[in-house]
Amino acid sequence: MSFDPYLARRDFPILERTNRGQPLVYLDTAASAQKPRAVIDAISDVYERHYANIHRGVYELSEEATRIHDGARETVRAFLGAADVREIVFTRNATESINLVAATFGRANVGPGDEIVISGLEHHANIVPWQMLCQEKEARLRVVPVTDAGEVDLEAFEKLLGDRTRLVAISHVSNALGTIVPIREVTAAAHERGIPVLLDGAQAVPRFAVDVGELGCDFYVFSGHKLYGPSGMGVLYGRAELLEAMPPYQTGGDMIESVSFEKTTFQPPPQRFEAGTPDIAGAAGLAAAIDYLNGLGLDAIEQHELELTRYGTELLQQIPELRMIGTAADKTGVLSFVVEGVHPHDLGTILDTQGVAIRAGHHCAQPLMERFDVPATARASLGLYNVREDLDKLAAAIRHAIELFR
Ligand code: PMP
């Protein structure tokens, strides 16, 4: 059966509510996705029927909670095409996953004069941890330039790779522009020189099928809340041999093998990187989100969002006062723009009165805004539940705002 977004909408209870008295047009999925009933129910089910702390319980309830939590790791492994569940570390979000790699792999492998390569379209989460690491280690952060269309300049990228490059950290899909970065070319160029690659997949995993083996990356990070799952639940995939060699991140309960006042030994990955009680119900919610997406089919979701991205782009380009920011040939899910004479924040506020929820601001990508010489953009971002009518309403609301400011 083919994917029907109108049917899928019924799975999302929140889409029945209004926004400022108007039917809700939710166009902020890049910030966070709404949750299907299956995810909400999976979380409630843990708290209502299976909840206890995990791993050390000798009673039935704790064993059930452990099975649910650890079972979610297998669901994530299969979802990412990882070879082994030991390669899947649970974190709070993509931000924490990146900080984990910077604090462990980074501190262990980056020294004075070394270099880390990122791109000009990164989210702050994939800039600041590397910048801090470079400051600490007297290393250098190198930034691949972005073209006028909002694409990563691959020629310049290859030239930046050298003997001192210790890691490439790059977005799979840009949250501010929707650009899909050609990852296979990135990993091939980096691996030719023996450089590991971390991919920020926060905006990619909700939009198309990802296989870490096929991409050939060494680390892959994402957040559950952007994948129609719960907030507070994130993932770090790391190649087994890299994780094995990494020192712990946070320390305390659950990540140790044995503790004495003289010496502590640590669990192997992934437990080594998961100190303290995890988000047990969150893991169930994330697994439910993945099951839900698999049920709909990620390829169908991908086609749907690509079609909507094209439709929305055509529609917005018919508004003479509007300029798209980010016109990459390969892009999905995000429509970023500025409107002459209307500040993005004012635009966002007026759209809100029409029931249309978009985001206005720098999208945690201030260097990218600077690159395009704008302080902020308005951003409409798509989810599997969006339909053409949502974009029609967006365009109408923008025209209304332009009239108000005339
Ligand atoms: N990277 C990208 C590309 C993002 O879009 C986001 C969230 N906007 C993040 C990282 C950070 O995600 P989180 O806030 O869930 O850690």
Side-chain angles (χ1 to χ4, degrees):
M1 207 181 76
S2 67
F3 173 65
D4 180 347
Y6 296 94
L7 268 184
R9 288 177 69 82
R10 296 195 208 153
D11 298 332
F12 292 80
I14 210 165
L15 297 180
E16 284 158 27
R17 61 158 285 174
T18 56
N19 184 81
R20 309 262 180 227
Q22 307 271 349
L24 171 65
V25 177
Y26 189 72
L27 290 169
D28 198 20
T29 295
S32 203
Q34 297 299 348
K35 317 305 170 198
R37 171 66 68 197
V39 168
I40 299 165
D41 286 351
I43 295 168
S44 306
D45 188 51
V46 169
Y47 286 126
E48 284 179 12
R49 272 187 280 268
H50 309 290
Y51 189 76
N53 210 333
I54 57 170
H55 288 159
R56 286 163 309 281
V58 290
Y59 49 93
E60 186 179 29
L61 210 50
S62 176
E63 284 172 7
E64 280 174 29
T66 301
R67 253 198 314 277
I68 290 169
H69 177 269
D70 293 356
R73 210 187 298 278
E74 167 55 25
T75 305
V76 173
R77 182 208 63 75
F79 178 65
L80 288 179
D84 197 306
V85 281
R86 288 172 297 182
E87 299 182 310
I88 305 298
V89 180
F90 285 153
T91 62
R92 279 188 303 136
N93 46 38
T95 301
E96 188 175 48
S97 299
I98 296 171
N99 275 277
L100 191 163
V101 177
T104 58
F105 175 88
R107 283 214 181 104
N109 290 286
V110 177
D114 286 343
E115 298 184 349
I116 291 171
V117 172
I118 63 171
S119 90
L121 51 68
E122 300 311 312
H123 187 281
H124 295 162
N126 202 29
I127 301 174
V128 187
W130 307 119
Q131 190 173 49
M132 299 286 287
L133 177 69
C134 287
Q135 276 168 17
E136 182 186 317
K137 297 289 188 176
E138 294 175 33
R140 202 168 156 210
L141 191 65
R142 309 295 305 269
V143 183
V144 188
V146 169
T147 67
D148 289 343
E151 290 164 338
V152 173
D153 183 338
L154 283 180
E155 249 177 65
F157 167 67
E158 292 216 25
K159 287 194 189 126
L160 279 180
L161 301 177
D163 293 347
R164 303 309 301 263
T165 315
R166 294 290 168 263
L167 181 76
V168 170
I170 199 162
S171 279
H172 197 171
V173 173
S174 154
N175 69 306
L177 307 180
T179 308
I180 304 172
V181 177
I183 292 304
R184 279 176 205 80
E185 291 165 48
V186 168
T187 51
H191 286 168
E192 227 169 73
R193 297 160 177 86
I195 303 163
V197 177
L198 176 143
L199 298 180
D200 174 356
Q203 297 294 341
V205 286
R207 304 188 189 284
F208 48 77
V210 166
D211 185 304
V212 290
E214 205 182 295
L215 291 172
C217 60
D218 302 278
F219 297 106
Y220 199 95
V221 311
F222 71 86
S223 289
H225 70 95
K226 293 184 200 274
L227 190 70
Y228 306 93
S231 55
M233 190 69 213
V235 169
L236 164 67
Y237 156 81
R239 260 199 316 111
E241 63 183 90
L242 293 176
L243 290 183
E244 290 285 350
M246 278 156 50
Y249 176 47
Q250 296 178 335
T251 55
D254 237 27
M255 53 77 70
I256 56 90
E257 194 179 59
S258 75
V259 176
S260 73
F261 287 121
E262 288 70 43
K263 184 179 162 61
T264 296
T265 57
F266 305 113
Q267 292 274 3
Q271 284 80 17
R272 184 188 302 163
F273 305 106
E274 296 178 354
T277 301
D279 189 344
I280 300 161
L286 176 61
I290 291 172
D291 290 343
Y292 175 76
L293 293 174
N294 286 338
L296 294 178
L298 269 157
D299 291 345
I301 294 169
E302 177 182 8
Q303 288 315 312
H304 172 62
E305 289 190 23
L306 283 172
E307 195 277 322
L308 276 187
T309 305
R310 273 193 296 271
Y311 179 76
T313 303
E314 276 168 29
L315 212 55
L316 295 188
Q317 279 174 337
Q318 287 164 19
I319 302 173
E321 296 85 349
L322 184 148
R323 176 162 68 97
M324 297 295 297
I325 306 287
T327 50
D330 212 7
K331 69 177 274 188
T332 188
V334 175
L335 302 167
S336 228
F337 52 90
V338 289
V339 173
E340 207 184 302
V342 190
H343 191 279
H345 283 116
D346 294 332
L347 188 66
T349 305
I350 295 165
L351 264 54
D352 173 50
T353 66
Q354 311 288 301
V356 180
I358 64 155
R359 191 147 293 242
H362 52 61
H363 317 297
C364 297
Q366 282 181 344
L368 185 64
M369 298 294 110
E370 206 168 296
R371 160 69 182 81
F372 283 95
D373 210 16
V374 290
T377 73
R379 180 188 73 182
S381 60
L382 305 169
L384 66 92
Y385 34 60
N386 287 119
V387 289
R388 283 184 171 214
E389 288 79 355
D390 292 335
L391 294 166
D392 295 338
K393 285 182 189 159
L394 168 70
I398 294 170
R399 289 181 196 277
H400 171 69
I402 291 169
E403 282 306 314
L404 286 180
F405 272 78
R406 228 187 259 287

